[in-house]
Amino acid sequence: MNRRDALTTVAFAGAAMAAAGPAKADIAPSSTLDRIKKSGVLRIAVIAGQDPYFHKDLATNQWSGACIDMANDIAGKLGAKVETLESTWGNQILDLQAEKIDLAFAVNPTPERALVIDFSSPILVHSFTVITKKGFAKPQTWAEINKPEVKIAVDIGSTHETIARRYCPKATILGFKERNEAILAVSTGRADCNISLAVLSVATLKKNPTLGELAVPRPLLTLPTNLGIRADGDRRYKDFLSAWADYNRALGQTREWMLKAFETVGLNAEDIPPEIQF
């Protein structure tokens, strides 16, 4: 091939590439915020049996609860509507990574999770509690249930499991797919107790007062609860959610959403032990 033929070939190839448009690698994927604004939909994970966060009406399949109110407020500010995907505490992180959802509520920011997703500022700070079965002595400390003969029921992949394994490594820990199953294990006597965030425990015992008793062992363990989002090079979505979380927490609006959700299960502020934060 002579020089003229070579130049002609290069020119033809260049023209063909230009006609085909930019290479796929050069097309920057749209950010989460851009996708929400373009589609007009904010996709969130919802988890059954998690009052006051989420409540599913089995007759209508409609969702309510504090996190639904929060999601509607966030969506309204983005000019979007809320779309739900039923998940679990453990799976909603995977749902974020798989781009099935845009927002996960009540996510505790562990170092391991920080490697795969991002977080807003905290929306709440929660205490961890223990629900004991009838007849089982209420533990005053975590050490009292850190024994091989004590069976602790937890939902797999949750921070409840993390706390159980961190503070009660000698106990017999029974893992269940959903928290409802862990609670059932306590009610049927298969487990001695369940470790749960305080907001979940008080709601559970209000609905089923014969289940057992609520204990707040020492040391008092607290953990921030954040909004989980997909890791994104565009910081606008994270910054918006952090500003939203700080603003509503400082104004007391987040507490109002929680108290409203508690009311649906017959709880008011006076029913919540003073050690419990939210």
Side-chain angles (χ1 to χ4, degrees), residues 30-37 39-46 54 68 71 74-75 78 80-86 92 95-105 228-230 237 241:
S30 62
S31 67
T32 299
L33 183 60
D34 289 337
R35 196 212 62 78
I36 294 169
K37 288 186 172 182
S39 67
V41 174
L42 174 68
R43 303 169 300 173
I44 70 167
V46 289
F54 302 103
I68 298 299
I74 292 170
L78 296 175
K81 63 179 181 180
V82 173
E83 183 178 285
T84 61
L85 172 70
E86 192 160 346
Q92 66 173 347
D95 292 334
L96 271 176
Q97 291 179 277
E99 299 190 16
K100 294 180 180 179
I101 59 173
D102 308 305
L103 187 60
F105 279 90
I229 59 176
R230 200 160 40 254
Y237 186 45
L241 290 174

Side-chain angles (χ1 to χ4, degrees), residues 23 30 32 44 50 55-56 78 89 95-96 125 151 189 197 204 207 212 231 234 237 243-244 272:
S30 62
T32 299
I44 70 167
Q50 303 299 316
H55 176 78
K56 184 179 183 180
L78 296 175
W89 292 123
D95 292 334
L96 271 176
V125 175
K151 297 178 181 179
L197 288 171
T204 296
K207 289 190 294 185
D234 184 347
Y237 186 45
W244 179 91
I272 301 167

Side-chain angles (χ1 to χ4, degrees), residues 197-219:
L197 288 171
V199 292
L200 301 176
S201 294
V202 294
T204 296
L205 286 173
K206 185 66 177 183
K207 289 190 294 185
N208 187 5
T210 63
L211 175 63
E213 296 187 82
L214 179 68
V216 188
R218 296 300 191 270

Side-chain angles (χ1 to χ4, degrees), residues 196-277:
S196 291
L197 288 171
V199 292
L200 301 176
S201 294
V202 294
T204 296
L205 286 173
K206 185 66 177 183
K207 289 190 294 185
N208 187 5
T210 63
L211 175 63
E213 296 187 82
L214 179 68
V216 188
R218 296 300 191 270
L220 185 63
L221 303 180
T222 61
L223 198 63
T225 293
N226 301 42
L227 300 170
I229 59 176
R230 200 160 40 254
D232 196 329
D234 184 347
R235 287 185 53 88
R236 293 176 300 156
Y237 186 45
K238 177 181 178 178
D239 291 345
F240 160 73
L241 290 174
S242 291
W244 179 91
D246 292 341
Y247 179 79
N248 286 290
R249 191 176 67 252
L251 285 184
Q253 178 60 63
T254 305
R255 180 180 176 82
E256 288 184 21
W257 280 320
M258 294 295 293
L259 288 175
K260 174 188 171 186
F262 272 129
E263 288 174 1
T264 63
V265 293
L267 280 165
N268 54 46
E270 290 70 35
D271 294 319
I272 301 167
E275 305 98 321
I276 295 175
Q277 304 179 46

